[in-house]
Structure formats: structure tokens, C-alpha cells
């Protein structure tokens, strides 16, 4: 065995192996590596897009929550304002009704006072008539008595 022949045959076998590898094995490996790199790059880009979309969605949800809180506070303020208006309207209506009741009560009291005065006038008039009648009866009785005495004296 010759070392030169062995060395040359091994070098040729290695050269054939390299040629075969570059020609048939290397291109599919490179395509697989490129596809894998492309898939990884797309995945990373999708992750970044997802992260950005998540941040945007978070901002939008924060905006929606703030807007909802603002609307809720506006609605509450309007409700409180309307409640105050209703209370004020009720107070005004109560004052008006109280005024009407007061006017009615005053009119009723005036009517009762008028009726009482009329009753008192009637009673005073009745008493005056009764008193006058008693006075007149006395005078009539005295005159009748005096006439009776005078007629008796004349007869005697």
C-alpha cells in the first residue's frame, strides 16, 4: 500500500463527498434554514404586531372606560340637577297649595266670624226686644194699674 495512493484516493473521495454535499444536500438544507428563518422572522414580526395591537387595544379600552366614566358622571350630574329641579318644583307647588289652603281657611274663618256676628246680632236684637217687651209690659202694667186705680177711686 502506497501512502500517496491512499492520500490521493481519500482526497478524491472527500472532494466527491463535498461536491455531492454541495450539489444535493446543501440546497435543501439552505432552503429549510431559510424557511425556518423566514418563519421565525414572521413569528417575531407577528409578535411585535400583536404587542402593538395589545397596547393600542389597551389604550382604546382606557379611552372607552374614561369616556364611560365621563358619561356616567354627566348622567349623574343631570340626574342630581333634575332631582333638585323636581324638589324645587315640589316646594313651589307646596307653597302655592299652602297659599290656596291658607286663603281658603281665611275665607272660611271670615265666613264663620260673619256668621257668629250675625248670630250675635240676632241674639242681641232678640235680647233687646225681650228687654223692650219687659220694659213696655211694666209700663203698660203700671199704666193699666194706674188706670185701674183711678177708675176704682172714681167709683168709690
Amino acid at each position: 500500500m502506497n501512502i500517496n495512493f491512499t492520500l490521493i484516493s481519500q482526497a478524491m473521495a472527500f472532494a466527491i463527498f463535498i461536491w455531492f454535499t454541495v450539489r444535493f444536500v446543501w440546497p435543501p438544507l439552505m432552503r429549510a434554514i431559510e424557511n425556518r428563518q423566514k418563519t421565525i422572522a414572521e413569528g417575531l414580526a407577528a409578535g411585535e404586531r400583536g404587542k402593538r395591537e395589545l397596547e393600542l387595544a389597551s389604550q382604546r379600552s382606557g379611552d372607552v372606560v374614561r369616556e364611560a366614566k365621563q358619561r356616567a358622571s354627566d348622567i349623574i350630574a343631570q340626574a342630581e340637577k333634575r332631582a333638585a329641579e323636581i324638589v324645587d318644583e315640589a316646594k313651589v307647588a307646596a307653597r302655592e297649595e299652602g297659599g290656596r289652603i291658607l286663603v281658603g281657611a281665611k275665607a272660611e274663618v271670615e265666613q264663620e266670624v260673619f256668621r257668629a256676628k250675625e248670630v250675635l246680632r240676632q241674639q242681641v236684637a232678640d235680647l233687646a226686644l225681650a228687654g223692650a217687651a219687659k220694659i213696655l209690659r211694666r209700663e203698660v202694667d203700671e199704666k193699666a194699674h194706674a188706670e185701674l186705680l183711678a177708675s176704682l177711686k172714681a167709683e168709690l
Side-chain angles (χ1 to χ4, degrees):
M1 213 161 6
N2 189 354
I3 195 146
N4 286 335
F5 178 72
T6 306
L7 190 63
I8 292 175
S9 65
Q10 283 182 354
M12 286 210 16
F14 186 67
I16 292 171
F17 175 73
I18 289 179
W19 174 81
F20 180 80
T21 303
V22 168
R23 176 90 175 143
F24 297 107
V25 176
W26 193 258
L29 283 176
M30 288 306 291
R31 276 193 299 267
I33 290 172
E34 288 172 0
N35 287 339
R36 182 70 179 143
Q37 285 176 340
K38 185 178 176 183
T39 304
I40 290 171
E42 288 174 358
L44 289 173
E48 287 297 319
R49 280 192 309 271
K51 189 176 179 182
R52 274 186 255 122
E53 288 176 7
L54 178 64
E55 289 173 0
L56 289 174
S58 176
Q59 288 175 353
R60 277 186 245 135
S61 67
D63 292 342
V64 167
V65 168
R66 279 188 292 279
E67 185 179 329
K69 285 181 182 178
Q70 181 62 36
R71 284 184 188 168
S73 65
D74 290 346
I75 290 170
I76 289 171
Q78 289 175 352
E80 288 174 351
K81 182 179 177 183
R82 181 63 184 139
E85 288 174 358
I86 289 171
V87 168
D88 290 342
E89 289 172 2
K91 284 180 182 178
V92 168
R95 285 187 189 122
E96 289 174 358
E97 184 66 23
R100 279 187 289 236
I101 291 172
L102 187 61
V103 166
K106 284 181 180 179
E108 191 174 320
V109 166
E110 287 175 6
Q111 288 177 355
E112 288 297 321
V113 166
F114 181 74
R115 284 186 202 130
K117 284 181 181 180
E118 286 299 315
V119 168
L120 285 174
R121 281 186 198 140
Q122 187 63 38
Q123 289 176 352
V124 167
D126 289 344
L127 287 174
L129 284 176
K134 284 184 181 180
I135 291 172
L136 287 175
R137 251 189 251 140
R138 276 190 211 154
E139 286 178 10
V140 169
D141 284 345
E142 287 176 11
K143 281 184 185 179
H145 187 43
E147 286 176 7
L148 187 59
L149 280 178
S151 68
L152 284 178
K153 282 185 188 180
E155 287 181 8
L156 286 176

